[in-house]
Amino acid sequence: MNPEPLSESPQKEKISLERPQAPWKETKPPKIRGALILVAVLLIFNLAQNLAYFLGSMAPIMRSSRWELFTNPNSPEFHPQWKLVLIFDAMTATLILFWNIVMLVFFFRKKRVFPKLIAVSIPIIFLLILAGHFLSGLIPAVAGSAAYAKEETALIMKFIGLHIWVPYFLLSKRVEKTFVC
């Protein structure tokens, strides 16, 4: 018995266990375009507006003698609801200002959570503004003013906007593709 030489044996095909891999590449989310540019502009505008409201309206009342003017029972401007209205307005203004900053950061970092948070935030902020408007209306001097009537028109516009933006953030393909981080 003569064994066959190893070199003459049929060669088996070498099977590689390694898979060819495509080079790894980072996929970036799409740039902010279309209606999202409007969202960016509105977020920045709202931040400026909220900051101006807080610094121009709320801070001076809390730091000056106006607080005493509105909340002191001996004052001619006194109404029992002023203290509640002023505290509620200051708290909501602070909360909305802080939340506006958070939403801006999430927006520009394209955080995946942004669309859901903004879709929940818009109605909550609307309800806070509506509650503040209602509380202010309990004070006769405020309820009879022209500024109070203008606020009602602004509330209607915000209500319409709420019904446009919430579905947009929840259903838009662009939003879904953009906010992926």
Side-chain angles (χ1 to χ4, degrees), residues 90-133:
M91 287 175 42
T92 56
T94 304
L95 178 70
I96 291 171
L97 181 63
F98 169 75
W99 197 244
N100 193 202
I101 293 168
V102 169
M103 289 291 98
L104 263 170
V105 170
F106 284 178
F107 179 82
F108 285 111
R109 289 190 176 177
K110 299 177 185 172
K111 294 293 184 181
R112 179 175 284 135
V113 73
F114 174 78
K116 289 183 175 95
L117 279 180
I118 199 78
V120 171
S121 300
I122 292 171
I124 290 172
I125 290 171
F126 175 78
L127 290 174
L128 288 172
I129 293 170
L130 183 64
H133 181 74

Side-chain angles (χ1 to χ4, degrees), residues 7-156:
S7 59
E8 294 178 13
S9 68
Q11 292 205 358
K12 293 184 180 178
E13 198 174 304
K14 292 184 181 178
I15 299 173
S16 174
L17 297 177
E18 295 180 22
R19 289 181 157 178
Q21 294 191 6
W24 182 81
K25 63 179 181 179
E26 184 178 325
T27 56
K28 293 183 180 180
K31 292 183 179 181
I32 294 172
R33 293 187 180 144
L36 290 176
I37 291 174
L38 179 60
V39 172
V41 169
L42 289 173
L43 281 171
I44 293 168
F45 176 76
N46 283 339
L47 177 63
Q49 188 179 26
N50 293 335
L51 190 59
Y53 176 74
F54 182 77
L55 295 176
S57 299
M58 297 308 335
I61 288 175
M62 298 300 175
R63 286 187 277 144
S64 70
S65 60
R66 289 184 182 172
W67 173 262
E68 187 69 26
L69 179 69
F70 293 128
T71 59
N72 184 351
N74 297 327
S75 169
E77 301 291 326
F78 173 78
H79 190 276
Q81 295 296 326
W82 268 121
K83 190 180 273 187
L84 175 65
V85 168
L86 293 174
I87 291 172
F88 183 82
D89 279 353
M91 287 175 42
T92 56
T94 304
L95 178 70
I96 291 171
L97 181 63
F98 169 75
W99 197 244
N100 193 202
I101 293 168
V102 169
M103 289 291 98
L104 263 170
V105 170
F106 284 178
F107 179 82
F108 285 111
R109 289 190 176 177
K110 299 177 185 172
K111 294 293 184 181
R112 179 175 284 135
V113 73
F114 174 78
K116 289 183 175 95
L117 279 180
I118 199 78
V120 171
S121 300
I122 292 171
I124 290 172
I125 290 171
F126 175 78
L127 290 174
L128 288 172
I129 293 170
L130 183 64
H133 181 74
F134 173 77
L135 289 174
S136 297
L138 297 175
I139 302 169
V142 174
S145 70
Y148 187 77
K150 283 184 180 180
E151 283 181 20
E152 290 174 357
T153 304
L155 278 169
I156 292 169

